[in-house]
Amino acid sequence: MSDAEMERIFLENAATAAAGTHSVSDTGDLLAALGRVVAIDSPVFCPGMTELEKAAAALFPVRAADYAAAAVTVEEVFGAVAETGTIVCSSEGGRAVQAGLLPAHHVAIVRRERIFGTLDDLFAAIAFAPPTNVTLVTGPSRTADIELTLAIGVHGPEKLDIILV
Amino acid sequence: MSPEQTSLAFRANSVCALEDSALRAAMKQATDTFGTKRADAFAPVADLEALRDRASAIRDDVLANLPMYVDRFVASATRAGAVVHRAEDAATAREIVRTILADRGARRIVKGKSMVSEEVDLNSHLEAAGMEVVETDLGEYIIQMEGETPSHIIVPAIHKNRRQVGRLFADRLGVPYSDDPQALTKIARKALREKFLSADAGISGANFAATDTGSLVLVTNEGNGRMVTTVPPLHVAILSVEKMLPSLADLPAFLRLLPRSATGQTITSYVSVITGPRKPGDATGAKELHIVLLDNGRTEILAGESRDILKCIRCGACMNVCPVYRTVGGHAYGWTYPGPMGIILTTLLTGMKKSHPLVDASTLCGACVDVCPVRVPLVDLILGLRKRKVREGFADPRERRGMEAFGKAAAKPALFALGQRLAGAFWPLVRALGGKDVAGRMPSPAKTPLRRRLP
């Protein structure tokens, strides 16, 4: 699978799973995309741990100190899986995986080179020494517990946006 | 789970279920939807049979070496910082969990969906010890509020329609009535969010346990599984010993099969891989992780002729296609696990004496075998249990005499024809005597028997 092919499949599968998908080429485009995706005056949690997160964090006037109090979490995630349209959140490097769980809106920034083709590729990379928590996230939180009717946003985010950089 | 098992009353339970039109409508709608979604989800999978073969072979290997894999898991999980407890039976498991919680002064416990916790009747034991146990899976939340047990292993409230849930929420939560699933979901989100943030401990099950890394794998959709395992300071996971996978690298095959078989999804919203508790430098994970490994008869099953049921990965596909389950629903089976896999597990885990009518609750049509992602030979296992039922003297002796008589008559065409004429003549009487019971519901014999219609 070529990189372009992998990217196309990832975006297609993520969209099928009801994630919002955005593809940008550089940091300037990323900030523009964030401006469109995030309600700018809502309390945003952004860990500011990576270069992209540092750039993103400067964009938001209202910063939530804690993800539990945030309306939106904007973060760069560990990677993605093309096969399933999944983003991969990892606790590696002291990251709070639950930061993308509590707020109603999760915005995940993924670097293109961090897309794995298949689930096998991902697990081959992490299976030797997995960190405390690795969570595969595919679309928003959902349930079909009432009459098998799909309802979005049960305990996790009702909205997931993925920005590929 | 109520401790009173009612599997012996399967026939009476079924008659009640058949008269409940709301139940039958809910079951039909849900199982039809499941069938369509499952077929759609598997359609693009090119090498499905090879995938099933691989998953089946991995599960076979796990069973062939189960004690070794369990020991390896215990060692790996311990190395990762978890405390692993072995529970021989349900009572021991309950008491281990209660002690862990009580020793740490835990009062409010949030719980993710776990059929093993239902199997050991964990909630009532913890509640009796003065703890508040809150089920947080939406379906489990609904039935806990109603005081019911799950009627499906994946969708616990499958037997309820939206109006029943709407009335329940209005009654118990004091919210305005709504029968919109999205609105009802929002109500539950709000009520449960507060519980998550104030909980002293989380209890979860696990879909798989990787023996090389000591990781627990949770396959979920709502996010409550992630909440209970990452938000409270203490996480207690309870799982049965056969949930082992040799390696975390084996997981992809199962992630491709389980969600498709269970809910018709390519993958669930969330798959959590949890390896030990929070470590220095971590910002995720419970401060303490306790893993309770339940045997509860599995070692004995492993040594017997029904061992292949332990390959089961609890997707629920077998019940969704079972003509019996689809008609009577899960509660009729009278214990934790319904449908074809439930017939087998219930009989093995609770004993033939408490469950023998269940082994007849199958038409042996084989629809379950067709859909089982890990090739559990469900029909063979049910047949094996029927033989055991006869061997152990639980079969009705009249059935045996009847079958012997039928065998003799069927071998002689004249006698067989006489029997057919007599059956036709006496049928109205049989039906009248049968009343609401099975005999009273049997269709009339054909006017011209098939034998005479054949060229």
Side-chain angles (χ1 to χ4, degrees):
Chain A
M1 221 183 319
S2 74
D3 287 358
E5 178 76 353
M6 212 142 79
E7 183 183 328
R8 187 187 62 76
I9 294 172
F10 167 67
L11 290 171
E12 201 178 288
N13 287 333
T16 305
T21 55
H22 317 268
S23 190
V24 302
S25 49
D26 56 30
T27 312
D29 281 357
L30 167 67
L31 297 184
L34 282 171
R36 285 193 303 274
V37 168
V38 181
I40 208 78
D41 52 352
S42 49
V44 174
F45 176 77
C46 181
M49 290 166 82
T50 67
E51 287 306 310
L52 291 176
E53 283 178 351
K54 282 187 186 121
L59 195 67
F60 306 109
V62 190
R63 298 275 300 278
D66 179 8
Y67 48 80
V72 190
T73 283
V74 175
E75 61 170 350
E76 183 178 348
V77 297
F78 175 83
V81 182
E83 176 186 351
T84 47
T86 298
I87 56 161
V88 184
C89 303
S90 165
S91 64
E92 208 175 348
R95 301 193 66 94
V97 172
Q98 65 277 24
L101 173 68
L102 276 83
H105 186 188
H106 184 200
V107 181
I109 304 167
V110 187
R111 284 182 185 270
R112 273 191 176 73
E113 63 270 22
R114 299 294 306 165
I115 303 178
F116 295 87
T118 64
L119 291 168
D120 303 280
D121 297 338
L122 169 70
F123 280 96
I126 64 166
F128 182 66
T132 300
N133 188 305
V134 175
T135 299
L136 281 60
V137 177
T138 312
S141 157
R142 67 186 70 211
T143 187
D145 270 350
I146 302 174
E147 285 193 14
L148 292 196
T149 304
L150 181 68
I152 296 290
V154 198
H155 300 299
E158 51 199 62
K159 208 168 155 210
L160 170 68
D161 277 295
I162 302 170
I163 308 178
L164 204 54
V165 183
Chain B
M1 184 80 218
S2 144
E4 284 102 304
Q5 182 183 354
T6 65
S7 306
L8 285 178
F10 178 77
R11 270 170 197 257
N13 295 348
S14 301
V15 171
C16 283
L18 291 173
E19 280 158 6
D20 184 343
S21 56
L23 170 76
R24 296 194 60 182
M27 293 308 299
K28 177 164 171 39
Q29 193 257 344
T31 50
D32 282 353
T33 307
F34 264 139
T36 317
K37 289 181 73 175
R38 182 190 165 279
D40 290 350
F42 274 117
V45 180
D47 45 1
L48 174 58
E49 295 312 312
L51 184 59
R52 289 171 78 187
D53 284 341
R54 215 174 106 220
S56 170
I58 294 171
R59 295 298 295 152
D60 281 334
D61 170 46
V62 167
L63 296 191
N65 303 289
L66 192 59
M68 184 271 281
Y69 281 127
V70 172
D71 287 347
R72 188 190 285 181
F73 174 77
V74 174
S76 305
T78 307
R79 207 178 316 122
V83 183
V84 184
H85 309 258
R86 306 285 296 267
E88 194 56 42
D89 55 24
T92 312
R94 289 194 294 258
E95 194 46 26
I96 289 171
V97 177
R98 190 199 63 77
T99 309
I100 296 167
L101 297 169
D103 285 354
R104 285 149 189 86
R107 308 286 305 166
R108 174 175 282 179
I109 292 113
V110 284
K111 198 157 161 277
K113 210 175 103 49
S114 153
M115 290 311 292
V116 167
S117 77
E118 301 280 348
E119 177 185 325
V120 304
D121 190 24
L122 184 61
N123 289 11
S124 65
H125 191 71
L126 300 181
E127 280 160 1
M131 298 171 192
E132 179 194 6
V133 184
V134 185
E135 292 286 353
T136 63
D137 170 87
L138 179 59
E140 289 279 352
Y141 181 62
I142 292 167
I143 60 169
Q144 186 184 36
M145 206 180 281
E146 191 79 278
E148 289 183 327
T149 57
S151 72
H152 189 285
I153 62 169
I154 302 289
V155 196
I158 195 171
H159 56 285
K160 285 198 132 36
N161 65 40
R162 60 182 75 194
R163 292 174 301 284
Q164 292 169 320
V165 178
R167 280 195 297 274
L168 179 69
F169 278 18
D171 269 10
R172 299 299 175 78
L173 299 173
V175 294
Y177 172 84
S178 166
D179 59 13
D180 172 22
Q182 184 70 51
L184 293 168
T185 300
K186 283 280 173 295
I187 293 167
R189 176 188 173 104
K190 194 159 169 281
L192 286 169
R193 178 57 68 101
E194 182 204 326
K195 304 276 185 191
F196 285 125
L197 296 177
S198 61
D200 303 311
I203 296 178
S204 77
N207 296 88
F208 304 105
T211 70
D212 57 345
T213 57
S215 310
L216 299 174
V217 181
L218 272 74
V219 179
T220 68
N221 271 316
E222 297 183 359
N224 65 314
R226 294 180 63 192
M227 292 275 188
V228 304
T229 57
T230 59
V231 176
L234 170 63
H235 172 201
V236 181
I238 178 164
L239 55 145
S240 50
V241 287
E242 82 278 17
K243 302 265 167 103
M244 301 296 146
L245 290 183
S247 165
L248 195 53
D250 293 320
L251 189 59
F254 295 89
L255 291 183
R256 290 184 184 108
L257 288 167
L258 176 60
R260 284 185 171 93
S261 301
T263 54
Q265 291 173 279
T266 304
I267 191 166
T268 49
S269 295
Y270 305 119
V271 176
S272 300
V273 180
I274 297 164
T275 311
R278 185 177 295 221
K279 297 162 198 66
D282 275 346
T284 294
K287 291 188 180 72
E288 268 188 90
L289 169 61
H290 290 261
I291 301 173
V292 181
L293 287 180
L294 175 75
D295 189 282
N296 207 23
R298 265 92 173 163
T299 298
E300 205 185 314
I301 297 173
L302 193 66
E305 57 189 13
S306 308
R307 65 180 281 170
D308 281 350
I309 191 59
L310 296 179
K311 288 170 76 176
C312 173
I313 56 170
R314 308 287 190 272
C315 69
C318 62
M319 52 200 77
N320 297 334
V321 297
C322 175
V324 178
Y325 177 86
R326 286 162 58 103
T327 311
V328 301
H331 286 151
Y333 293 76
W335 200 57
T336 308
Y337 304 101
M341 59 75 84
I343 291 174
I344 300 159
L345 267 185
T346 305
T347 310
L348 296 169
L349 293 175
T350 68
M352 190 62 84
K353 195 177 167 195
K354 285 184 175 173
S355 59
H356 59 84
L358 290 186
V359 304
D360 295 323
S362 165
T363 64
L364 304 182
C365 69
C368 50
V369 178
D370 290 347
V371 297
C372 178
V374 291
R375 302 199 192 283
V376 176
L378 292 148
V379 165
D380 294 345
L381 293 176
I382 293 171
L383 268 173
L385 290 174
R386 285 188 184 177
K387 286 180 191 151
R388 222 185 91 191
K389 173 177 171 174
V390 174
R391 261 200 325 269
E392 294 179 8
F394 290 105
D396 188 335
R398 287 173 301 178
E399 193 177 83
R400 166 173 284 259
R401 285 200 295 274
M403 282 316 221
E404 279 167 359
F406 175 80
K408 280 182 191 137
K412 297 192 177 72
L415 206 54
F416 187 73
L418 175 69
Q420 273 181 325
R421 281 198 298 278
L422 287 175
F426 285 102
W427 209 254
L429 182 66
V430 172
R431 264 229 287 254
L433 291 174
K436 281 181 178 174
D437 210 348
V438 179
R441 292 167 180 268
M442 291 222 280
S444 302
K447 291 262 178 293
T448 314
L450 178 68
R451 192 172 45 85
R452 267 193 268 143
R453 276 189 275 170
L454 292 174

